[in-house]
Amino acid sequence: MLKGRPMEKPAVEHVKQLRALLKENRLDAYVVPSADPHQTEYVHPHWRCRAWLSGFTGSAGTAVVMAEKAGVWADGRYFIQAERELEGSGFELFKMKMDGVPELIDWLAENVPQGGAVGVDGRLITAKQGKEWAEKLEKKKARLVTDVDLVSQVWIDRPELPTDPAKRWPVEYAGRSAADKLKEIRAAMEEQDADTYLISSIYDVNWLFNIRGNDTAHTPLLTSYALVEKDKATLFAEEAKLTQEVREGLAAEGIGVAPYDGIFEAVEELPESAAVFLCEERVSAALRRRIPCKVVEGKELASLPKARKNETELHNWERVHELDGVAMVRYWKWLEENVPNGGVDEVDASDELERLRLANPECLDLSFTSISGYGPNAAMMHYCAKRGDCATLEPKGFYLIDSGGQYLGGTTDITRTFALGELTDEQRMDYTLVLKGVINLSSTRFLKGTAGNNLDVLARLAMWEHGVDYKCGTGHGVGCYLNVHEGPQGISAHKTCDTPFEPGMLLTIEPGVYKEDRHGIRIENMAVVEEDCETECGIFYRFRTQTLCPVDTAPLKAELMTEKELKWLNAFHQKVFDRLAPHLSAEERAWLENKTRPFPAEVGHKG
């Protein structure tokens, strides 16, 4: 075995070690994804193999190493960041979805020699990816080898996996018992002619069994699998994490427990007559390979029930948004009072918001690492400020903060862009266009059956009229004391955002403008889908904005705002004031009243 290097060593050293193993294993290429065995979005440091190998630290992307070439595939959220972090690493950046840029598998098929072999840790790619990659490579008589883990052989100081105990999520927050959820899942299994349901998605396992853990930063997840059968259900998790109280609670709802790695043996022992339902976009290629019986493939059966929030969840979320809104109001006030004095950098600002959130005992954690970007740094959609290497906020330009909290009653996600002082006309124009996009989408009425790929354009119309766009989606679902990015619902032009919206679904609405070396602007609210009206043409839905925090009106170009947009903005601000004022001190209420006064001033004054 080759000796590894500490994680802080240059990427070129890691690539050199990996290339030596390519020869030993008779591989022509090795793929290193940004994934764990469950396709979790924010993976534990133990699984950040691509970041360790390449030096590119974005949460999404895939690296490939060959004897003479190396590349990283990243999407539009990370173009700027990836270019900077990959400089001097020996990796070429492939900007996904851009003209002339090949897909990763197409590049591999072109560059791997006839009859060659491509290796990957089969636990870290989905069954769907494994099937598609193997088919592409087969055209060149090349093989996909999915039982080889090269990174573990050279990453000697790899972080250990967590061992924190799991906990049950109380039904007063969940709104439904695990036993009740299992009834719904079994009914869905019957519709699919399946007698077993294999769940690899941690989000769905945790939701279904009303269980939570501490295995992922800022996301209360227990790393686990589940097998649901007609007469029993089994949770596969590290046994040391399951306390007696948790075991007894699960048993009372008909749920057994088994060792985490026992899932492989469990599926291998399924009878050949069984029919297993699974999602090939979640189950790993390594696990799928072990199944000896008929497979019924489709979208996760738990995803839609999880996405449709029940009345208890929505009720709890109302209070959560008030708590979160209070923290945001105090934070904005703090910025105004401290930035002009100097000495506040992006990390200081992010830390202060974290302090304000966690000062409330009902907030248990952040929902993700805050994106705190001043000036040009905000143009990087997933920018991460680092102590000692970040910008100092000045009384000019824009400051963007994208953040959220994990509360037992719900998860929050909010972005605000604040004017710290003098702005250019371009900045004011872009800010106004972003807000117009938020309002246009937030205030639309749409027919039952409409999906996010039908509505995405509404957030972009005002921008397109001025030749402006953004290279990412417009919104995503949000979990309830779970992951901040939840599917299957979403708002994007991408064809995968085809899940029709239903009442109870939560989404973010967050258009933005990102101009490299100039500025980044995003305004983000959370909204719930609810029924609006029924006519002879059918049932219509609408969005009800849940987020409670003012939007900065100082940058707005009032002449670009329509009467309808101004009416929406002022009604939103009135609601923010009415809901948050009772939680604030007299000084804070006066400050909030000023921030939520009618815009423009000619509209009138608060009564």
Side-chain angles (χ1 to χ4, degrees):
M1 181 184 296
L2 292 175
K3 292 185 177 181
R5 298 288 194 274
M7 190 170 180
E8 63 271 18
K9 290 290 185 180
V12 290
E13 288 293 322
H14 303 153
V15 172
K16 183 179 179 180
Q17 296 164 29
L18 202 65
R19 281 177 171 151
L21 289 177
L22 285 179
K23 282 187 177 182
E24 289 184 21
N25 289 270
R26 298 181 180 180
L27 296 173
D28 299 287
Y30 192 72
V31 181
V32 182
S34 302
D36 64 12
H38 302 270
Q39 297 299 310
T40 314
E41 180 180 17
Y42 296 118
V43 301
H44 185 271
H46 177 88
W47 295 108
R48 294 176 190 167
C49 304
R50 186 261 306 144
W52 173 85
L53 176 68
S54 68
F56 165 53
T57 61
S59 63
T62 305
V64 175
V65 173
M66 298 185 70
E68 302 294 335
K69 299 178 181 180
V72 167
W73 277 255
D75 64 47
R77 296 171 296 171
Y78 302 102
F79 288 169
I80 302 173
Q81 177 184 349
E83 283 181 338
R84 295 179 180 180
E85 292 184 339
L86 291 175
E87 185 177 358
S89 68
F91 282 90
E92 179 183 356
L93 173 61
F94 291 85
K95 298 181 177 181
M96 296 168 62
K97 307 301 181 184
M98 298 298 287
D99 290 343
V101 177
E103 294 289 335
L104 181 149
I105 185 57
D106 293 328
W107 185 88
L108 280 171
E110 180 181 342
N111 286 274
V112 170
Q114 191 82 8
V118 175
V120 65
D121 184 344
R123 297 172 299 170
L124 307 185
I125 63 170
T126 68
K128 182 179 179 180
Q129 285 176 311
K131 183 188 300 183
E132 292 174 349
W133 291 6
E135 289 175 354
K136 285 262 187 173
L137 293 171
E138 175 60 29
K139 294 177 181 179
K140 205 168 183 179
K141 304 300 181 183
R143 297 176 297 119
L144 180 66
V145 182
T146 59
D147 60 353
V148 56
D149 175 12
L150 300 187
V151 172
S152 292
Q153 299 181 51
V154 292
W155 190 1
I156 61 171
D157 59 347
R158 192 169 184 172
E160 295 292 330
L161 289 168
T163 58
D164 295 6
K167 57 188 175 184
R168 298 301 307 284
W169 192 42
V171 71
E172 55 262 38
Y173 294 107
R176 299 175 64 190
S177 68
D180 182 50
K181 294 176 181 179
L182 280 166
K183 288 180 183 178
E184 183 175 6
I185 293 303
R186 288 186 172 118
M189 289 166 53
E190 191 172 346
E191 291 178 4
Q192 297 289 337
D193 293 324
D195 48 50
T196 304
Y197 176 25
L198 169 60
I199 313 177
S200 180
S201 164
I202 303 180
Y203 313 123
D204 296 271
V205 175
N206 281 244
W207 171 83
L208 180 60
F209 292 158
N210 284 344
I211 197 165
R212 299 292 188 269
N214 194 33
D215 290 349
T216 304
H218 306 315
T219 310
L221 294 171
L222 170 68
T223 302
S224 50
Y225 296 95
L227 270 183
V228 179
E229 299 171 74
K230 289 182 177 181
D231 56 354
K232 66 177 182 177
T234 307
L235 171 72
F236 295 82
E238 295 293 345
E239 294 184 281
K241 297 178 182 179
L242 303 179
T243 64
Q244 188 62 30
E245 181 182 359
V246 167
R247 291 170 183 267
E248 290 175 357
L250 291 169
E253 300 199 73
I255 303 164
V257 298
Y260 174 73
D261 288 332
I263 187 65
F264 289 92
E265 182 178 347
V267 297
E268 285 178 334
E269 293 179 349
L270 289 170
E272 290 186 13
S273 60
V276 179
F277 185 95
L278 58 82
C279 176
E280 288 197 327
E281 294 179 351
R282 287 292 181 182
V283 170
S284 72
L287 186 55
R288 171 67 179 85
R289 193 173 62 237
R290 304 289 188 95
I291 299 175
C293 54
K294 176 184 176 182
V295 169
V296 181
E297 196 279 322
K299 292 184 177 180
E300 291 285 5
L301 299 180
S303 289
L304 272 177
K306 174 165 57 74
R308 293 187 290 253
K309 311 307 178 191
N310 59 56
E311 291 185 7
T312 298
E313 290 172 310
L314 293 175
H315 174 75
N316 289 333
W317 239 307
E318 291 296 311
R319 172 169 172 76
V320 162
H321 280 292
E322 289 182 359
L323 302 178
D324 212 57
V326 167
M328 286 297 300
V329 162
R330 289 174 175 157
Y331 177 64
W332 188 1
K333 184 173 181 290
W334 177 88
L335 283 174
E336 288 193 341
E337 293 169 348
N338 288 273
V339 170
N341 299 326
V344 176
D345 65 26
E346 293 165 329
V347 175
D348 296 326
S350 179
D351 287 350
E352 177 62 17
L353 180 52
E354 180 176 359
R355 185 191 70 79
L356 288 167
R357 272 204 175 91
L358 297 181
N360 190 310
E362 295 187 46
C363 184
L364 305 182
D365 194 0
L366 303 184
S367 57
F368 57 97
T369 301
S370 299
I371 299 171
S372 175
Y374 174 64
N377 288 340
M380 292 181 276
M381 294 179 217
H382 283 212
Y383 170 71
C384 182
K386 298 176 182 177
R387 177 71 69 185
D389 184 24
C390 62
T392 297
L393 279 58
E394 301 178 31
K396 63 179 181 180
F398 278 132
Y399 168 64
L400 181 153
I401 180 76
D402 184 351
S403 65
Q406 288 285 8
Y407 302 78
L408 277 176
T411 302
T412 65
D413 187 3
I414 175 176
T415 306
R416 287 295 182 265
T417 303
F418 300 122
L420 300 185
E422 182 181 353
L423 301 172
T424 65
D425 188 67
E426 179 189 35
Q427 289 171 327
R428 295 183 64 222
M429 169 68 80
D430 289 344
Y431 184 93
T432 305
L433 295 178
V434 169
L435 182 57
K436 286 170 73 72
V438 171
I439 295 173
N440 194 34
L441 182 51
S442 300
S443 59
T444 191
R445 173 185 289 164
F446 52 95
L447 188 65
K448 179 181 178 180
T450 299
N453 54 9
N454 305 126
L455 297 183
D456 180 81
V457 65
L458 297 179
R460 302 176 191 262
L461 280 177
M463 295 185 195
W464 285 1
E465 290 175 359
H466 293 267
V468 178
D469 190 35
Y470 50 98
K471 303 298 182 185
C472 61
T474 297
H476 55 83
V478 180
C480 192
Y481 190 48
L482 268 177
N483 50 315
V484 72
H485 294 145
E486 180 180 272
Q489 75 277 24
I491 306 174
S492 170
H494 199 278
K495 63 182 179 180
T496 56
C497 275
D498 58 355
T499 299
F501 293 145
E502 298 182 43
M505 285 185 172
L506 273 174
L507 296 112
T508 63
I509 295 176
E510 48 179 312
V513 170
Y514 310 95
K515 294 184 174 179
E516 187 173 358
D517 296 327
R518 281 178 281 175
H519 57 261
I521 299 164
R522 179 163 64 251
I523 299 171
E524 175 187 20
N525 289 332
M526 285 175 57
V528 62
V529 177
E530 60 184 18
E531 193 166 321
D532 185 28
C533 66
E534 184 173 0
T535 72
E536 60 183 325
C537 295
I539 298 174
F540 288 83
Y541 297 150
R542 67 185 176 197
F543 293 116
R544 175 169 56 83
T545 300
Q546 285 195 318
T547 300
L548 297 171
C549 177
V551 171
D552 193 353
T553 58
L556 289 174
K557 294 173 76 73
E559 65 273 18
L560 294 181
M561 303 285 287
T562 66
E563 183 177 346
K564 178 184 176 182
E565 291 166 346
L566 291 173
K567 183 179 179 181
W568 185 95
L569 177 62
N570 289 319
F572 171 67
H573 276 163
Q574 184 67 57
K575 181 176 76 170
V576 169
F577 180 82
D578 292 342
R579 294 275 299 279
L580 298 188
H583 302 283
L584 301 172
S585 67
E587 180 184 350
E588 291 166 342
R589 282 196 301 272
W591 183 92
L592 179 60
E593 184 170 14
N594 181 54
K595 291 299 181 184
T596 57
R597 67 186 186 277
F599 179 87
E602 305 84 68
V603 170
H605 301 280
K606 283 184 179 292

